[in-house]
């Protein structure tokens, strides 16, 4: 059987397991008892092993995993933490120290090995009252005995590989050779996860921040929280969109295990969060053709799948992936980040989505985003300096994930938050994977430290350079302008312990963790430190910006407009010379996909002006709602372009500004007793305030503990018409819940709403 067959078999097994658990009528397989040669009748026979998954889950912080509560219970443990279990023997026999052999083998993978740390062997003597071994070793102690049971605690090594472990129990009489021992294969899966609560684990995170109480433990946010926000949109108008991570769903852990199998990480390497997190970035996307979770698509053509903006969380994506064994269509950076956060938190890695507003995609490792113009000032569509033929780009926003871990593979001081990115932008070591890149290394420009620090640094702090063709230059171009402040305007994540369903008070600005203040000596030193490590980058930074230009241009920026409003492209010109200047200017407005690719031209105008000495003028291009509303694409991003050339001095100027057209929201009303097990009356309302018909309408909603992902289709929605959908939900457990909704249509997407619901017992 080849690896692919084995992998498909593993996938099918977890499919059947999840399907069976949800029916809750799975029939337990009979226990396997092997013997060769025939053992003595006096040998203990194991009848059953009880892992008491729910009881242990409280101490292991895994009590919310659905696998723990399904029948039969599945043990979900964290390494570095002991668990209690009971072995019951058949025929009323009891374990007798000194007379009986009781040996436990905990195994991971098809070829478990003590040397590779994928096997733990424990010989039970019967008198072990305390753990005596170091935290990185398997250990056991006996808690109690009855006539036919023995209760024990097992210490899982703090550096044990994560995965599905299996237990073999060997019994025999004192003095028996190994081949005479009776083997009991325990049918239960034992999930072992990272343990960020354990100080000796490499993913350990300090539990408190700024003197907060235990109730504000950071792990409550970065491991246990199953609903959060992901910031999306243009700089100045970005907002946090609610996302259901759903790491406790009974499909999530099995899929996590499949991903680790599919990427062929050796089982012993799964102890290392650096290796595991890097592998997850590769397997959340399928760009390498290795059957990862998500197809990426950015062109607006989603007819054969689900539009990225229509997803409300990770659970439906993971469930579809599990049941079809095929990558799910479609995702974009924020969807990749949402799913990656889910699998990280499910495995015990503290994680949070991070959004970089005005994000650079540097395709040739120069730490610059380069735009090229011919001698007449016309923009060129190629990058003559990039032998690969690709061009640099600027994304309105880009989302990746930070995972928390120590970095013993790096010099001291580079642990903590690490950037990991599942969006397939550039290959790293031959695959579409990215990170973990130490955020502190990014801040200090230490691009020689693994992994992918240079790519992340360019994303947040590249210089934007405009080049103009010049036959007299040794490279054929001269630097026309350099903007050192455009990239990485803000880097945002959700503030711990706050969830704002109405506004943005839960925004946390973490820009200063990636770079010092723009223009400061520290910021320039960091970038130049990175540049100094690259021969190609040093060549780009060798050519200075031209000086002595005497016409000042300024594109007036917009932050946001409400859909249906008009606006103007406005440029101011100021002639600081004592001679008139002949200026050829071009103004335009386009709708854009968020990765910087133009969707539609909305308006365009060019003209030549005579600007008198020391004069100041204003150019304006008005744009009405009728001009743009039918050309909007997902997320409502628009781009203003302005360029100009000065005939007398050959001065060239180019500037862009992105802004967002703000969509309406979905209103959610919840009525009822708001108690566990009692129905809630939920009403979702959306009013079409646009002067156009919306077609192929659909409302998607979900909320952990309230409802799985569900949707309602609706016929066309006329201008001014109200869509109202009512449903009943039954709360499953007490606490604060979030209910999230997303309205989707052929014409417009990204229309969302959310509400908090507090459920009592």
């Amino acid at each position: 059987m080849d690896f692919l067959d084995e992998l498909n078999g593993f996938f099918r097994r977890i499919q059947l397991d999840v399907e069976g658990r949800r029916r809750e009528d799975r029939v337990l397989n009979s226990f396997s008892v092997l013997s060769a040669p025939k053992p003595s009748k006096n040998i203990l026979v194991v009848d059953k092993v009880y892992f008491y998954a729910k009881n242990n889950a409280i101490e292991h912080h895994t009590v919310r995993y659905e696998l723990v509560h399904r029948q039969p219970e599945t043990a979900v443990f964290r390494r570095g933490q002991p668990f209690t279990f009971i072995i019951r023997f058949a025929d009323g026999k009891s374990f007798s120290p000194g007379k009986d052999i009781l040996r436990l083998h905990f195994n991971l993978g098809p070829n478990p090995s003590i040397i590779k740390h994928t096997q733990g062997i424990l010989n039970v003597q019967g008198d072990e009252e305390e753990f005596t071994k170091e935290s990185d070793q398997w250990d056991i102690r006996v808690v109690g005995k009855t006539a036919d049971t023995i209760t024990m605690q097992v210490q899982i090594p703090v550096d044990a590989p994560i995965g599905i472990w299996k237990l073999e129990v060997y019994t025999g009489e004192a003095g028996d050779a190994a081949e005479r021992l009776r083997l009991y294969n325990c049918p239960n899966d034992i999930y072992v996860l990272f343990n960020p609560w354990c100080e000796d684990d490499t993913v350990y995170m300090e539990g408190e921040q700024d003197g907060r109480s235990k109730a504000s433990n950071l792990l409550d946010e970065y491991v246990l929280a199953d609903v959060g926000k992901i910031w999306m949109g243009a700089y100045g108008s970005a907002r946090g969109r609610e996302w259901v991570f759903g790491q406790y769903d009974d499909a999530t852990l099995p899929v996590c295990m499949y991903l680790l199998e599919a990427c062929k990480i050796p089982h012993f390497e799964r102890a290392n969060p650096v290796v595991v997190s890097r592998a997850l970035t590769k397997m959340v996307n399928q760009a390498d053709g290795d059957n990862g979770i998500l197809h990426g698509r950015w062109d607006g053509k989603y007819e054969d799948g689900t539009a990225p903006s229509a997803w409300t969380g990770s659970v439906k994506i993971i469930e579809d992936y599990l049941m079809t064994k095929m990558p799910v269509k479609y995702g974009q950076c924020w969807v990749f980040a949402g799913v990656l956060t889910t699998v990280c938190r499910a495995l015990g890695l503290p994680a949070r989505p991070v959004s970089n507003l005005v994000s650079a995609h540097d395709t040739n490792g120069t730490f610059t985003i380069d735009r090229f113009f011919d001698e007449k000032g016309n923009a060129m569509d190629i990058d003559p300096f990039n032998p690969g033929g690709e061009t640099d780009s600027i994304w309105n926003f880009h989302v990746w994930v930070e995972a928390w871990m120590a970095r013993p593979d790096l010099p001291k001081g580079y642990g903590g938050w690490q950037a990991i990115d599942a969006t397939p932008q550039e290959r790293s070591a031959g695959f579409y994977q990215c990170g973990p890149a130490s955020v502190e290394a990014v801040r200090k420009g230490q691009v020689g430290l693994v992994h992918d620090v240079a790519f992340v640094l360019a994303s947040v702090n590249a210089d934007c350079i405009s080049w103009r063709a010049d036959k007299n230059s040794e490279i054929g171009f001269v630097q026309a302008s350099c903007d050192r402040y455009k990239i990485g305007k803000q880097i945002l994540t959700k503030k711990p312990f706050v969830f704002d369903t109405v506004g943005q008070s839960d925004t946390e600005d973490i820009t200063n963790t990636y770079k010092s203040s723009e223009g400061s000596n520290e910021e320039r030193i960091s970038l130049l430190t990175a540049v100094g490590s690259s021969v190609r980058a040093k060549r780009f930074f060798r050519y200075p910006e031209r000086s002595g230009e005497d016409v000042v241009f300024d594109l007036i920026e917009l932050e946001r407009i409400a859909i249906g409003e008009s606006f103007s492209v406005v440029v101011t010109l100021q002639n600081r010379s004592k001679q008139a200047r002949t200026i050829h200017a071009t103004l335009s407005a386009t709708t854009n996909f968020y990765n910087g690719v133009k969707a539609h031209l909305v308006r365009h105008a060019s003209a030549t002006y005579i600007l008198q000495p020391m004069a100041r003028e204003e150019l304006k291009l008005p744009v009405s709602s009728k001009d743009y509303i039918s050309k909007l694409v997902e997320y409502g991003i628009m781009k203003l372009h302005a360029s100009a050339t000065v005939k007398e001095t050959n001065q060239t100027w180019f500037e862009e500004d992105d802004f967002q057209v703000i969509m309406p929201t979905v209103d959610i009303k919840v009525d009822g007793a708001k108690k566990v097990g009692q129905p809630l009356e939920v009403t979702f309302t959306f009013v079409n305030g646009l002067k156009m018909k919306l077609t192929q309408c659909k409302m998607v909603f979900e909320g952990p503990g309230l409802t799985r992902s569900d949707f309602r289709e609706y016929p066309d929605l006329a201008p001014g018409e109200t869509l109202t959908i009512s449903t009943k939900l039954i709360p499953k457990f007490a606490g604060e819940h979030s209910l999230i909704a997303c309205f989707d249509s052929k014409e417009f997407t990204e229309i969302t709403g959310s509400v908090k619901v507090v459920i009592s017992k």
Side-chain angles (χ1 to χ4, degrees), residues 693-697 714-718 721:
K693 180 171 67 175
L694 302 181
T695 62
Q696 300 177 23
C697 302
Y714 197 81
D716 299 347
L717 198 62
E721 187 178 356

Side-chain angles (χ1 to χ4, degrees), residues 130-423:
E130 300 294 338
F131 293 129
T132 59
K133 298 179 181 177
E134 298 295 328
S135 63
D136 61 350
Q137 298 180 60
W138 290 91
D139 201 359
I140 194 165
R141 73 185 189 97
V142 177
V143 177
K145 288 185 288 186
T146 67
D148 61 351
T149 68
I150 182 169
T151 303
M152 296 170 283
Q153 270 196 337
V154 167
Q155 171 183 282
I156 306 173
V158 72
D159 57 353
I162 64 169
I164 300 177
W165 288 73
K166 303 294 289 189
L167 171 63
E168 296 176 338
V169 182
Y170 290 86
T171 54
E173 293 182 300
D176 279 352
E179 63 270 15
R180 292 186 58 85
L181 299 181
R182 184 185 295 270
L183 168 61
Y184 171 83
N185 281 314
C186 182
N188 304 74
D189 289 338
I190 305 170
Y191 284 85
V192 175
L193 313 178
F194 292 115
N195 190 355
W197 285 268
C198 177
E199 292 188 22
D200 294 331
D201 198 312
T202 49
V203 302
Y204 172 69
M205 173 180 270
E206 291 284 350
E208 297 179 5
Q209 183 184 44
D210 302 329
R212 291 178 180 267
S213 66
K214 273 191 174 181
S216 298
N217 191 312
L218 287 174
L219 296 175
D220 291 345
E221 178 74 31
Y222 299 131
V223 176
L224 299 182
D226 57 356
V227 178
K229 277 189 175 182
I230 300 174
W231 266 256
M232 304 164 58
Y235 173 65
S237 60
R239 66 181 184 86
R241 174 168 173 174
E242 299 81 1
W243 187 262
V244 177
F245 298 116
Q247 65 266 40
Y248 305 119
D249 187 85
D250 59 4
T252 302
L253 273 182
V255 164
C256 290
M257 298 303 131
Y258 170 76
L259 296 179
L260 297 179
E261 294 295 324
C263 65
K264 304 181 184 180
I265 300 178
H267 287 81
F268 72 90
E269 291 271 26
R270 300 176 195 182
N272 186 346
V274 175
V275 174
V276 170
S277 62
R278 185 165 175 80
L280 293 176
T281 69
K282 177 178 181 292
M283 292 305 302
V284 168
N285 73 74
Q286 70 81 48
D288 292 311
D290 46 9
N291 205 43
I293 294 179
L294 273 165
H295 278 283
R297 192 155 194 168
W298 287 266
D299 61 1
K301 299 175 182 178
Y302 311 121
E303 292 79 9
D304 60 338
T306 298
S309 59
W311 297 115
T312 53
S314 304
V315 173
K316 186 67 166 60
I317 295 170
I318 289 173
E319 290 180 341
D320 287 355
Y321 176 66
L322 175 61
M323 297 308 166
T324 65
K325 295 198 297 185
M326 297 291 292
V328 177
K329 299 177 180 180
Y330 288 104
Q332 293 174 346
C333 71
W334 62 282
V335 182
F336 287 114
V339 174
L340 183 57
T341 301
T342 294
V343 296
C344 284
R345 290 186 181 182
L347 293 173
L349 271 172
R352 61 185 184 182
V354 169
S355 302
N356 180 32
L357 306 186
V358 191
S359 188
H361 182 183
D362 174 20
T363 60
N364 56 0
T366 59
F367 303 102
T368 59
I369 300 300
D370 302 297
R371 305 291 179 112
F372 295 88
F373 299 85
D374 62 22
E375 291 180 329
K376 294 182 179 180
N378 300 311
M380 301 170 61
D381 294 330
I382 63 170
D383 182 346
F385 295 160
N386 192 346
E390 296 179 323
T391 57
D392 297 335
S393 61
I394 300 175
W395 296 34
N396 294 102
F397 65 94
H398 180 54
V399 187
W400 58 78
V401 174
E402 287 182 351
W404 181 276
M405 66 191 75
R407 290 297 301 269
D409 58 321
L410 302 182
K412 186 177 180 180
Y414 291 100
W417 288 119
Q418 312 287 312
I420 57 176
D421 192 353
T423 303

Side-chain angles (χ1 to χ4, degrees), residues 390-630:
E390 296 179 323
T391 57
D392 297 335
S393 61
I394 300 175
W395 296 34
N396 294 102
F397 65 94
H398 180 54
V399 187
W400 58 78
V401 174
E402 287 182 351
W404 181 276
M405 66 191 75
R407 290 297 301 269
D409 58 321
L410 302 182
K412 186 177 180 180
Y414 291 100
W417 288 119
Q418 312 287 312
I420 57 176
D421 192 353
T423 303
Q425 288 185 299
E426 296 289 329
R427 284 187 170 92
S428 173
F431 299 101
Y432 284 105
Q433 57 189 355
C434 184
S438 165
V439 173
E440 182 64 15
V442 172
R443 191 174 190 274
K444 292 182 177 179
Q446 298 298 320
V447 297
L449 302 180
V450 293
H451 299 275
D452 306 307
V453 172
F455 185 77
V456 178
L457 188 150
S459 298
V460 302
N461 205 24
D463 284 354
C464 293
I465 299 179
S466 297
W467 301 87
R468 179 177 174 134
D470 188 331
K471 295 177 181 179
N472 297 320
S473 169
E474 62 177 333
I475 61 172
F477 289 84
V478 293
Q479 188 180 135
S481 64
C482 178
D483 188 340
R484 299 183 175 91
Y485 306 97
K486 184 177 183 69
I487 299 301
K489 288 285 193 180
Q490 274 186 309
I491 304 173
L492 306 175
T493 191
K494 179 182 172 298
K495 186 181 297 183
F497 327 121
V498 183
F499 192 88
D500 188 343
T501 60
V502 179
Q504 303 298 311
S505 64
D506 48 3
T507 307
E508 182 174 8
D509 190 328
I510 57 170
T511 310
N512 64 355
T513 66
Y514 281 84
K515 57 183 180 180
S516 299
S517 300
E518 288 285 11
S520 67
N521 289 335
E522 292 82 1
E523 180 266 334
R524 282 288 99 187
I525 289 171
S526 172
L527 182 61
L528 295 177
T529 297
V531 169
S533 68
S534 167
V535 173
R536 175 177 288 183
K538 283 191 288 187
R539 289 173 181 166
F540 271 61
F541 277 77
R542 181 185 302 162
Y543 299 97
E545 184 178 355
R546 293 180 62 181
S547 59
E549 297 172 338
D550 51 24
V551 179
V552 178
F553 301 90
D554 185 28
L555 173 64
I556 305 302
E557 296 183 351
L558 293 173
E559 287 193 354
R560 68 181 75 189
I561 63 168
I563 189 167
E565 292 182 354
S566 299
F567 64 92
S568 295
V569 184
V570 179
V571 173
T572 62
L573 306 82
Q574 184 175 2
N575 183 1
R576 294 182 175 178
S577 75
K578 295 181 180 180
Q579 289 82 36
R581 294 294 185 233
T582 305
I583 296 170
H584 181 76
T586 299
L587 307 182
S588 65
T590 62
T591 57
N592 280 54
F593 297 104
Y594 84 96
N595 63 351
V597 176
K598 183 176 77 173
H600 303 287
L601 176 65
V602 175
R603 285 213 65 191
H604 176 275
S606 296
T608 300
Y609 305 87
I610 303 297
L611 188 60
Q612 297 301 322
M614 308 304 291
R616 186 180 186 278
E617 296 287 347
E618 183 177 270
L619 307 180
K620 181 179 292 188
L621 176 66
V623 180
S624 69
S625 61
K626 188 176 180 180
D627 292 327
Y628 71 80
I629 201 165
S630 63

